[in-house]
Amino acid sequence: MAKIKDDCIELELTPRRYQELDDDPFILSVFELLENKKAVVRDFSAVLLESEYKVLISGIETMIKGDQDSISLETIEPFLFLSIDQENGNYRIKIKIIFDDYKESKSNSNLFEINCNEEKLESFVTALKLNLENTKNPSKLP
């Protein structure tokens, strides 16, 4: 599991297994966001594309090398915008999640922010990369 947190917000993003075989397979994931140790979002059926994980990993690695100051990623399931900005050796991760309220026929969104140093960001991307490399294909049905 890949976790990153500050004093208030904790993000966990963990690829679990492939949903289907393809050039850019969907990966069943665990997406969890906690605020003050209480779950805000806990989605055990989040589905991200393998390419979305790779974009996030390579973007963070490029930032750590100092080749760019920011990255952004938009995913569909869950519908979230994730951006990371770097300034003076500190990193700010912004997470905007869009919730569909089917009862009210509208969408709600919340913005969360995690502030961290390079060491925490490196640990997060290392765990994410390792989890992605060790994601297994689904078992074949008879």
Side-chain angles (χ1 to χ4, degrees), residues 1-3 13-16 125-136:
M1 92 184 67
K3 283 187 179 183
L13 182 58
T14 308
R16 284 294 184 208
V125 76
T126 298
L128 196 57
K129 193 175 184 178
L130 184 62
N131 289 166
L132 186 61
E133 288 170 0
N134 292 320
T135 303
K136 296 181 172 80

Side-chain angles (χ1 to χ4, degrees), residues 2 11 27 39 59 79 82 137:
L11 170 68
I27 297 175
F79 189 43
L82 188 137
N137 290 330

